[in-house]
Short mmCIF file of all heavy atoms in Angstrom, two decimals:
data_model
loop_
_atom_site.label_atom_id
_atom_site.label_comp_id
_atom_site.label_asym_id
_atom_site.label_seq_id
_atom_site.Cartn_x
_atom_site.Cartn_y
_atom_site.Cartn_z
N SER A 32 4.64 14.97 -0.90
CA SER A 32 5.68 15.51 -0.02
C SER A 32 5.14 16.67 0.80
O SER A 32 4.13 17.29 0.46
CB SER A 32 6.87 15.99 -0.85
OG SER A 32 6.55 17.17 -1.55
N LEU A 33 5.78 16.92 1.92
CA LEU A 33 5.39 18.05 2.73
C LEU A 33 5.47 19.35 1.93
O LEU A 33 4.73 20.29 2.14
CB LEU A 33 6.28 18.13 3.96
CG LEU A 33 6.17 16.96 4.93
CD1 LEU A 33 7.01 17.18 6.18
CD2 LEU A 33 4.72 16.73 5.34
N LYS A 44 7.37 24.61 4.34
CA LYS A 44 7.38 23.28 4.98
C LYS A 44 7.31 23.42 6.51
O LYS A 44 6.63 22.69 7.19
CB LYS A 44 8.65 22.53 4.59
CG LYS A 44 8.53 21.63 3.41
CD LYS A 44 9.60 20.54 3.38
CE LYS A 44 11.01 21.09 3.38
NZ LYS A 44 12.02 20.00 3.36
N TYR A 48 5.05 21.90 9.52
CA TYR A 48 5.64 21.22 10.64
C TYR A 48 5.20 21.77 12.00
O TYR A 48 5.23 21.10 13.00
CB TYR A 48 7.19 21.27 10.55
CG TYR A 48 7.83 20.09 11.18
CD1 TYR A 48 7.82 18.88 10.52
CD2 TYR A 48 8.39 20.16 12.45
CE1 TYR A 48 8.43 17.76 11.13
CE2 TYR A 48 8.96 19.08 13.04
CZ TYR A 48 8.98 17.86 12.37
OH TYR A 48 9.57 16.81 12.96
N LYS A 54 4.97 13.57 9.43
CA LYS A 54 4.08 13.26 8.30
C LYS A 54 3.06 12.18 8.72
O LYS A 54 1.92 12.21 8.31
CB LYS A 54 4.92 12.78 7.11
CG LYS A 54 4.12 12.70 5.81
CD LYS A 54 4.99 12.17 4.71
CE LYS A 54 4.23 12.15 3.36
NZ LYS A 54 5.00 11.55 2.29
P DG D 10 10.59 16.71 -3.16
OP1 DG D 10 9.49 16.29 -4.00
OP2 DG D 10 10.73 18.16 -2.76
"O5'" DG D 10 10.62 15.83 -1.86
"C5'" DG D 10 10.64 14.43 -1.95
"C4'" DG D 10 11.04 13.87 -0.61
"O4'" DG D 10 12.40 14.20 -0.41
"C3'" DG D 10 10.27 14.52 0.51
"O3'" DG D 10 9.29 13.62 1.07
"C2'" DG D 10 11.32 14.80 1.57
"C1'" DG D 10 12.64 14.41 0.98
N9 DG D 10 13.62 15.49 1.10
C8 DG D 10 13.62 16.67 0.39
N7 DG D 10 14.62 17.45 0.70
C5 DG D 10 15.30 16.74 1.69
C6 DG D 10 16.43 17.08 2.43
O6 DG D 10 17.11 18.10 2.35
N1 DG D 10 16.79 16.07 3.33
C2 DG D 10 16.11 14.89 3.49
N2 DG D 10 16.57 14.06 4.41
N3 DG D 10 15.03 14.55 2.80
C4 DG D 10 14.68 15.54 1.94
P DG D 11 8.35 14.22 2.26
OP1 DG D 11 7.17 13.38 2.25
OP2 DG D 11 8.24 15.70 2.11
"O5'" DG D 11 9.20 13.95 3.60
"C5'" DG D 11 9.37 12.62 4.05
"C4'" DG D 11 10.13 12.62 5.38
"O4'" DG D 11 11.36 13.34 5.21
"C3'" DG D 11 9.38 13.28 6.53
"O3'" DG D 11 9.53 12.52 7.70
"C2'" DG D 11 10.05 14.65 6.62
"C1'" DG D 11 11.46 14.39 6.18
N9 DG D 11 12.07 15.56 5.53
C8 DG D 11 11.56 16.32 4.52
N7 DG D 11 12.31 17.30 4.15
C5 DG D 11 13.44 17.19 5.00
C6 DG D 11 14.59 18.01 5.04
O6 DG D 11 14.87 18.97 4.37
N1 DG D 11 15.48 17.52 6.04
C2 DG D 11 15.27 16.44 6.83
N2 DG D 11 16.26 16.17 7.70
N3 DG D 11 14.18 15.70 6.77
C4 DG D 11 13.31 16.11 5.81
P DT D 12 8.93 13.06 9.09
OP1 DT D 12 8.71 11.83 9.90
OP2 DT D 12 7.79 13.94 8.79
"O5'" DT D 12 10.11 13.87 9.73
"C5'" DT D 12 11.36 13.24 10.03
"C4'" DT D 12 12.32 14.25 10.63
"O4'" DT D 12 12.64 15.24 9.69
"C3'" DT D 12 11.78 14.97 11.86
"O3'" DT D 12 12.61 14.64 12.99
"C2'" DT D 12 11.88 16.46 11.49
"C1'" DT D 12 12.87 16.45 10.35
N1 DT D 12 12.82 17.55 9.40
C2 DT D 12 13.87 18.45 9.29
O2 DT D 12 14.87 18.37 9.97
N3 DT D 12 13.71 19.46 8.35
C4 DT D 12 12.62 19.64 7.53
O4 DT D 12 12.57 20.58 6.75
C5 DT D 12 11.54 18.68 7.71
C7 DT D 12 10.30 18.81 6.85
C6 DT D 12 11.69 17.70 8.58
P DA D 13 12.16 15.13 14.46
OP1 DA D 13 12.77 14.21 15.42
OP2 DA D 13 10.74 15.40 14.45
"O5'" DA D 13 12.92 16.51 14.61
"C5'" DA D 13 14.36 16.56 14.47
"C4'" DA D 13 14.81 18.00 14.51
"O4'" DA D 13 14.52 18.63 13.24
"C3'" DA D 13 14.13 18.85 15.58
"O3'" DA D 13 15.06 19.19 16.60
"C2'" DA D 13 13.59 20.07 14.82
"C1'" DA D 13 14.34 20.02 13.50
N9 DA D 13 13.60 20.56 12.38
C8 DA D 13 12.39 20.17 11.89
N7 DA D 13 11.98 20.88 10.84
C5 DA D 13 13.00 21.81 10.66
C6 DA D 13 13.16 22.84 9.70
N6 DA D 13 12.26 23.13 8.77
N1 DA D 13 14.29 23.59 9.79
C2 DA D 13 15.20 23.29 10.76
N3 DA D 13 15.16 22.36 11.68
C4 DA D 13 14.01 21.63 11.58
P DT D 14 14.57 19.96 17.93
OP1 DT D 14 15.29 19.28 19.05
OP2 DT D 14 13.11 20.08 17.95
"O5'" DT D 14 15.20 21.40 17.75
"C5'" DT D 14 16.54 21.50 17.23
"C4'" DT D 14 16.84 22.95 16.86
"O4'" DT D 14 16.21 23.30 15.61
"C3'" DT D 14 16.32 24.00 17.89
"O3'" DT D 14 17.32 24.95 18.09
"C2'" DT D 14 15.08 24.59 17.16
"C1'" DT D 14 15.57 24.52 15.72
N1 DT D 14 14.47 24.59 14.68
C2 DT D 14 14.60 25.44 13.63
O2 DT D 14 15.53 26.15 13.46
N3 DT D 14 13.53 25.42 12.75
C4 DT D 14 12.38 24.62 12.82
O4 DT D 14 11.52 24.66 11.99
C5 DT D 14 12.33 23.75 13.98
C7 DT D 14 11.14 22.83 14.20
C6 DT D 14 13.38 23.75 14.86
#
Side-chain angles (χ1 to χ4, degrees):
Chain A
S32 71
L33 295 184
K44 268 201 302 179
Y48 208 77
K54 193 183 181 183

